[in-house]
Amino acid sequence: MINKIVLAGGCFWGIEAFFRQLDGVIEVISGYANSKIKKPSYLEVKTQRTGAVEAVEITYDDSVVSLSKIFDYLFKIIDVTAVDHQGGDYGTSYRSGIYFQNEAEQELALTKIKQEQARHSEKIAVEVVPLDNFYLAEDYHQDYLNKNPDGYCHINLERIDEKDKKIDKQKVYEQILLVLDGLLDRKLPALSMMANLTALLKEHFTTFSWVGFYYTNEHELYLGPFQGKVACETIAFNRGVCGHAFSEQKAIIVKDVHAFPGHIACDSGSNSEIVLPLFNKHDKIIGVLDVDSYRYANFDHIDELYLTRVLDKLKEYLD
Ligand code: SME
């Protein structure tokens, strides 16, 4: 399931950048938590008079990363005994904390704090309090260290275990594009290349549960080469994610298929998907490429960008 937790550990730039690397984390936004005034600005928070704390809201898939692991990393990257201070910043807006929204989160946080306390002689300063409010910080604070790689960062971003890191999708896609060049061959029927392409994609991404093509026969979409579980053989143009991507001739990214009206669940385990229109060399739409995942929110603009590049290469071979 997709969940959210709000945490603080000093300047939000570094905390946001750190948690963005963690596998299972879908989104991290920087903001101000538990403010006494509505919509505080950065400068107002810095006065230390709003009661607000620089914090991040982490959206995560709990089937991939547990809340317990998120807390472990928070404790690992900050000074858990520092009061109103982290790195070069001092003041209540730089206090550390876990801001819970239900009893289960509170209980887990208190248990983890107790365990952490056993490792320190000084008192743990991470507060565990209910989340009263969370206001989005100004745009320039979002993804700050990505936009400003030399910006101030009090967090050692390397303190993440390799096994917990998100895969570098771009690197994998670059590899796929290289291999694809070797697979495309004018002497082969298009079907053979498409069959191999589905295998190539599924082989490179363990998070892809189903990869396949649907073609059009002018009346509906019908199943083409694919890798994965047995799937629906036909899809009407006005049905499912595939039908919509085909009719609207645009890529559709569905972060949670259960929330997409009319989604066709060929595999009940699927939780997110991306569907892209498939064009031939005359720029006529002839079908779609559908990729599914058991993970929530597995696809984003990077998948769209690279899968479009993959299909652009393929289309030269399609009549
Ligand atoms: N989920 C798709 C149907 C195809 S299967 O996922 C393989 C859709 O809603 O169009």
Side-chain angles (χ1 to χ4, degrees):
M1 248 180 54
I2 298 181
N3 277 316
K4 288 180 196 288
I5 185 77
V6 173
L7 306 175
C11 175
F12 44 25
W13 298 341
I15 300 287
E16 183 192 317
F18 184 86
F19 282 105
R20 275 187 184 277
Q21 311 175 90
L22 187 59
D23 197 22
V25 166
I26 296 165
E27 184 59 283
V28 190
I29 53 175
S30 287
Y32 311 110
N34 290 3
S35 174
K36 283 187 274 196
I37 64 166
K38 272 193 179 159
K39 284 192 87 168
S41 69
Y42 183 60
L43 291 178
E44 281 170 328
V45 171
K46 259 197 173 298
T47 64
Q48 313 295 331
R49 287 200 293 266
T50 65
V53 54
E54 284 195 15
V56 294
E57 181 196 72
I58 300 173
T59 306
Y60 64 101
D61 180 345
D62 65 6
S63 66
V64 182
V65 64
S66 65
L67 187 56
S68 173
K69 182 172 271 182
I70 291 174
F71 290 159
D72 285 341
Y73 270 120
L74 175 70
F75 299 160
K76 186 172 174 179
I77 59 176
I78 63 168
D79 180 349
V80 289
T81 60
V83 178
D84 296 340
H85 156 229
Q86 290 293 326
D89 295 310
Y90 293 83
T92 53
S93 63
Y94 298 105
R95 67 190 184 270
S96 56
I98 295 171
Y99 303 91
F100 60 85
Q101 293 181 77
N102 57 51
E103 263 180 44
E105 286 173 2
Q106 178 184 22
E107 210 173 290
L108 179 66
L110 292 174
T111 307
K112 301 291 289 188
I113 294 270
K114 211 166 153 192
Q115 289 166 357
E116 187 65 20
Q117 185 63 74
R119 296 189 197 105
H120 301 267
S121 47
E122 281 175 76
K123 197 173 176 316
I124 299 282
V126 181
E127 64 177 355
V128 176
V129 294
L131 179 71
D132 288 335
N133 52 61
F134 180 82
Y135 295 102
L136 196 67
E138 295 81 347
D139 261 4
Y140 74 96
H141 290 297
Q142 307 300 334
D143 211 8
Y144 184 88
L145 289 171
N146 203 16
K147 297 176 197 157
N148 305 277
D150 297 326
Y152 165 77
C153 182
H154 68 297
I155 300 293
N156 179 352
L157 300 177
E158 309 284 307
R159 297 201 73 186
I160 183 165
D161 290 349
E162 258 333 287
K163 66 169 177 36
D164 292 332
K165 261 191 178 177
K166 280 182 188 161
I167 49 155
D168 183 344
K169 278 190 196 182
Q170 305 198 10
K171 222 163 121 185
V172 180
Y173 276 119
E174 290 295 346
Q175 176 69 26
I176 287 172
L177 285 168
L178 277 180
V179 182
L180 182 60
D181 283 337
L183 288 179
L184 298 174
D185 182 343
R186 297 210 182 272
K187 294 187 287 298
L188 283 176
L191 201 65
S192 310
M193 291 182 266
M194 290 162 80
N196 257 345
L197 174 55
T198 62
L200 181 66
L201 289 169
K202 192 151 186 302
E203 226 173 64
H204 276 73
F205 283 106
T206 51
T207 56
F208 291 1
S209 55
W210 198 92
V211 182
F213 289 98
Y214 279 91
Y215 279 122
T216 179
N217 61 3
E218 305 297 333
H219 305 294
E220 60 192 350
L221 293 169
Y222 65 95
L223 187 60
F226 73 95
Q227 293 273 316
K229 286 193 183 170
V230 168
C232 338
E233 283 149 346
T234 58
I235 297 178
F237 292 151
N238 60 355
R239 291 219 44 223
V241 189
C242 292
H244 282 94
F246 180 83
S247 306
E248 291 158 35
Q249 304 204 9
K250 63 162 206 217
I252 300 182
I253 296 172
V254 183
K255 295 204 180 288
D256 177 357
V257 295
H258 312 289
F260 187 93
H263 165 258
I264 303 165
C266 291
D267 176 352
S268 59
S270 171
N271 285 318
S272 64
E273 73 178 278
I274 181 169
V275 181
L276 300 104
L278 175 70
F279 298 97
N280 68 8
K281 62 178 171 204
H282 310 295
D283 280 325
K284 183 174 181 288
I285 187 152
I286 54 168
V288 294
L289 172 70
D290 177 7
V291 187
D292 297 349
S293 177
Y294 289 158
R295 286 190 173 192
Y296 284 97
N298 192 56
F299 306 100
D300 57 22
H301 65 283
I302 296 176
D303 299 277
E304 180 178 342
L305 188 90
Y306 277 96
L307 289 171
T308 303
R309 282 178 63 186
V310 164
L311 294 183
D312 276 349
K313 274 183 187 274
L314 177 70
K315 82 181 223 191
E316 300 308 320
Y317 299 83
L318 305 177
D319 290 318

